[in-house]
Amino acid sequence: MADLVEGATGLEAAERIARRDLARLNYPPANWVPERFGPDGKRVLDVLVVGAGMCGQTAGWNLLREGIRNIRVIERNFYRREGPWNTTARMPILRSPKHLTGPDLGVPSLTFRAWYEAQHGSAGWEALYKVKRLDWMDYLLWVRKVVDLPVENGVALERVEPAGKFLKTTLSTGEQLHVRKLVLANGRDGSGGFKWPRFPSFDPDSPKRAGKVFHTLEEIDFGKFVGKRIGVLGVLATAIDNTATALEAGAREAICYARRPHLPQVNKSKGASFPGFQRGQGMLDDDWRWKIYTYMLSAGSPPPHESVLRVQKLPGFSFRFSEPWLDVIVDGDGVTVKTTKSVERFDVVLMGTGFDVDMSRRPEFAAFASNIKIWGDTRSPEDAKANGEAALYPYLGPGFELMEKEPGRTPLLSDIHLFNWGSILSQGALAGDIPGLFVGSPRLVQAISHSLFRADVAQHAENMFNQEDPELAPTDYYVPREKRSGTL
């Protein structure tokens, strides 16, 4: 391996090794998908990947690895702001153990460990407790560079609609593209939006909330909270991490409120983080899948113990359990919060209430939204009502594709693949959590590959029939095509 690393150190050497390994794997193979042309006379894009965070990036380079090269990957945010890592994630370290793989797609020299050891050595790896959040961001961008995945930053999907045999997408740049497959790798809120609690006096769309009420998944300037008193609704991971960030930035006091009497204690998702579960959950019947994930969603996950220890060390922090909020009233000077036990006055309120999965909230899918099959369509009315949030999750096919509620009304719907958190009820945690990527990305890409092949099978067969590359020529063993038995 000396020839690969001579004159190079650290990441330079690691990059050379990884590129050599990719070359040994014949990456990237030649494109095999026949060209298609749209009604505008332009070549149709085979796959448009929306989002270049962890899931979108991994899907994109997996498509290239499959020989599907007529693709584009767009990302609404600018470079180094892909995904939550450098924007709305506010924990110092990742929750996941350091040894997990996924974005590497099984190439050892592309693992986080390889990236980290190139800079800190084996001893540094052994000493590492967990992965720093911004290190993970840098690692993902390094993988993207090494696999030569082109990403168009600052470009968003604004609309998708049927256009004959293809999907027509409109981008934020004004460009319109005809595409065969659309992959939505657009983050945790990509199948819905922020979940705002309902209170008699609170309107999340009111301009009055500006600067006073924030959702914890928004980008926030915590430097403006110096000396402020803050009320936080929620005690799970994002609520705790936002609270700590506010106090570390100089907030005077921050109180986290919860309806429950104590913090959740057990992370049930750990019981589903092994290959059998990750590969098998999406193959189960509807009853089992519904039973498993309605339980997981209702159980919730405790905040990481590192986050709890972080916030409990900070002056001005406190929990208030068994004290749900009844109303939130925003005025010119701050926010009044009425709870079951008191009336409190805050300068700023943070809502750590997560996000909704509800495709009807996504304006770009207005042309399809009414016919997207959801899990509530597969359950009894009583069961769907008892699990109202789970009932809104889209019911996906085996390749993460959206399904029709009324078959035949929007047949192109199955060309849209949901590779974000909205897929969890159908497929398990394969699109959003690091441990599931090694199953989720290949499953997605194989489904797209199979579909593209089936659509052009006549042309592929004709190409095979017409294949002329004599392996024995020019020896006497070569038999001209017209004299071969069985010639078509």
Side-chain angles (χ1 to χ4, degrees):
M1 198 170 291
D3 61 318
L4 299 181
V5 298
E6 184 177 354
T9 59
L11 283 182
E12 289 182 346
E15 181 176 338
R16 292 187 187 184
I17 293 169
R19 287 184 181 276
R20 182 63 179 270
D21 286 345
L22 290 173
R24 287 169 170 161
L25 293 169
N26 302 315
Y27 173 85
N31 183 71
W32 55 265
V33 184
E35 292 183 345
R36 293 280 191 97
F37 293 89
D40 56 2
K42 297 179 181 178
R43 185 181 179 185
V44 174
L45 193 68
D46 291 326
V47 187
L48 175 64
V49 179
V50 179
M54 182 175 71
C55 288
Q57 170 180 305
T58 307
W61 97 264
N62 204 348
L63 286 163
L64 296 180
R65 190 173 177 180
E66 186 75 10
I68 302 171
R69 298 182 61 175
N70 178 29
I71 71 171
R72 287 172 66 176
V73 181
I74 61 173
E75 165 58 48
R76 64 185 177 185
N77 293 314
F78 294 111
Y79 183 73
R80 281 193 60 80
R81 297 181 71 80
E82 302 89 344
W85 318 109
N86 202 21
T87 54
T88 59
R90 291 162 182 136
M91 64 288 192
I93 59 175
L94 302 192
R95 181 179 199 135
S96 303
K98 67 179 182 181
H99 64 269
L100 293 180
T101 59
D104 52 90
L105 291 178
V107 180
S109 54
L110 283 177
T111 59
F112 177 82
R113 179 172 181 171
W115 178 86
Y116 194 85
E117 286 186 340
Q119 300 165 91
H120 306 284
S122 298
W125 171 258
E126 294 301 323
L128 180 66
Y129 170 54
K130 284 188 175 181
V131 178
K132 292 181 180 179
R133 168 174 51 88
L134 294 180
D135 277 357
W136 187 254
M137 170 93 261
D138 290 340
Y139 159 68
L140 290 174
L141 292 174
W142 178 76
V143 172
R144 169 172 147 185
K145 174 189 175 186
V146 173
V147 303
D148 294 318
L149 177 70
V151 172
E152 301 168 48
N153 286 91
V155 181
L157 174 69
E158 291 196 341
R159 187 168 64 255
V160 58
E161 54 196 325
K165 297 179 180 179
F166 309 112
L167 297 167
K168 184 172 77 171
T169 60
T170 302
L171 308 184
S172 58
T173 58
E175 183 182 9
Q176 292 189 329
L177 292 172
H178 288 89
V179 305
R180 297 179 68 179
K181 299 290 182 181
L182 181 65
V183 173
L184 302 175
N186 48 351
R188 293 254 170 164
D189 61 340
S191 293
F194 296 159
K195 182 188 295 181
W196 290 101
R198 296 180 180 179
F199 296 113
S201 306
F202 177 67
D203 177 5
D205 296 321
S206 170
K208 292 199 307 182
R209 84 168 182 91
K212 299 182 182 67
V213 180
F214 298 87
H215 196 285
T216 54
L217 296 175
E218 290 183 279
E219 293 196 47
I220 301 171
D221 182 359
F222 286 92
K224 294 183 178 180
F225 293 174
V226 174
K228 305 288 188 181
R229 187 170 191 254
I230 301 174
V232 183
L233 182 58
V235 294
L236 300 184
T238 56
I240 298 294
D241 289 325
N242 274 259
T243 301
T245 303
L247 289 168
E248 290 165 353
R252 171 170 54 91
E253 183 182 10
I255 305 171
C256 285
Y257 289 81
R259 290 174 297 180
R260 64 186 81 211
H262 52 73
L263 291 175
Q265 301 296 301
V266 180
N267 184 358
K268 297 290 185 178
S269 66
K270 288 184 177 180
S273 295
F274 59 91
F277 208 116
Q278 290 161 330
R279 294 190 188 280
Q281 193 264 326
M283 309 300 176
L284 297 172
D285 61 41
D286 289 353
D287 288 342
W288 264 116
R289 290 189 289 174
W290 178 259
K291 179 178 180 179
I292 289 168
Y293 265 94
T294 52
Y295 173 76
M296 297 277 277
L297 293 172
S298 64
S301 295
H305 73 273
E306 296 94 347
S307 295
V308 176
L309 294 175
R310 172 192 179 196
V311 77
Q312 286 185 321
K313 293 188 299 184
L314 298 171
F317 171 74
S318 61
F319 281 124
R320 297 230 188 136
F321 294 107
S322 301
E323 191 171 348
W325 289 10
L326 302 177
D327 203 3
V328 174
I329 305 162
V330 184
D331 57 43
D333 298 320
V335 185
T336 298
V337 173
K338 295 181 179 180
T339 78
T340 55
K341 297 180 180 179
S342 65
V343 176
E344 299 284 348
R345 186 71 179 165
F346 297 106
D347 299 299
V348 175
V349 159
L350 303 178
M351 303 284 195
T353 47
F355 49 88
D356 285 321
V357 173
D358 181 356
M359 291 295 289
S360 69
R361 292 187 58 184
R362 304 299 305 187
E364 61 267 46
F365 299 106
F368 294 100
S370 65
N371 201 37
I372 294 175
K373 187 176 182 178
I374 59 176
W375 271 89
D377 297 326
T378 72
R379 303 285 92 192
S380 69
E382 296 76 20
D383 202 3
K385 184 177 180 181
N387 297 275
E389 291 187 14
L392 290 175
Y393 277 63
Y395 183 95
L396 304 182
F400 294 85
E401 69 271 25
L402 292 170
M403 306 283 283
E404 293 183 277
K405 189 189 301 279
E406 180 185 329
R409 183 154 67 91
T410 53
L412 295 182
L413 192 60
S414 62
D415 290 327
I416 302 174
H417 297 256
L418 201 68
F419 200 54
N420 61 34
W421 195 252
S423 65
I424 190 170
L425 222 104
S426 298
Q427 293 280 356
L430 305 186
D433 280 357
I434 299 169
L437 266 182
F438 84 103
V439 174
S441 181
R443 181 175 294 175
L444 166 76
V445 170
Q446 287 166 13
I448 291 173
S449 179
H450 294 164
S451 180
L452 292 174
F453 175 78
R454 285 195 305 270
D456 291 317
V457 65
Q459 184 172 346
H460 289 300
E462 183 66 21
N463 292 341
M464 178 191 69
F465 297 154
N466 294 330
Q467 176 73 20
E468 285 296 338
D469 185 17
E471 295 184 9
L472 299 179
T475 70
D476 293 337
Y477 295 102
Y478 174 62
V479 179
R481 182 178 183 186
E482 62 273 12
K483 294 184 179 181
R484 298 178 215 160
S485 60
T487 299
L488 297 178

